[in-house]
Amino acid sequence: MSGTAAWACPYTDFPLVEIRPDRPDRPVRVWANRVRGSHAVAVHGERVAFYGGYGEERDRLAHGEIIETSVESKDVGLLTLPDGSAPGRRRVVGRGSRIYVQAEPFTTWGVFDLSS
């Protein structure tokens, strides 16, 4: 959720969905998306980031741009902890332009901010 908008990538086709109840003429918008299995999404303007995936893509950070009817993939990398290691077991939450990651032992949160 971000202000008055909620963003999601629902299973099974993983479209990017914006739900904005304050826009009565078009409260739901949908864009086709090729990134599969993300656990968190961050949106800032027309930019979007998806974190997570299946199998070896569990630490994937995919960047894209929202265009007319789809999300155009721009770049793919790995999200790492400040020491350069993979997060391992973690909790993840996307909200607005940020993706929050809490790696085991679950005592602190790291933040990836798409607006930075």
Side-chain angles (χ1 to χ4, degrees), residues 90-105:
R90 78 261 189 250
R91 298 175 181 139
V92 93
V93 176
R95 184 169 174 95
S97 66
R98 295 179 177 167
I99 295 175
Y100 299 88
V101 179
Q102 187 182 52
E104 202 170 39

Side-chain angles (χ1 to χ4, degrees), residues 10-82:
Y11 185 79
T12 66
D13 290 332
F14 301 101
L16 178 63
V17 178
E18 177 193 34
I19 304 161
R20 192 178 289 265
D22 66 334
R23 191 176 48 213
D25 60 316
R26 194 170 179 193
V28 177
R29 293 173 62 189
V30 179
W31 295 268
N33 172 35
R34 286 182 266 157
V35 177
R36 301 291 183 239
S38 66
H39 298 281
V41 61
V43 178
H44 181 71
E46 302 304 311
R47 297 179 351 178
V48 61
F50 303 96
Y51 175 60
Y54 298 121
E56 293 179 8
E57 294 184 325
R58 68 179 268 125
D59 295 317
R60 171 192 61 200
L61 185 62
H63 294 262
E65 184 176 330
I66 300 170
I67 55 176
E68 286 185 29
T69 60
S70 65
V71 175
E72 181 179 315
S73 294
K74 295 291 186 184
D75 192 21
V76 176
L78 294 176
L79 187 69
T80 60
L81 298 175

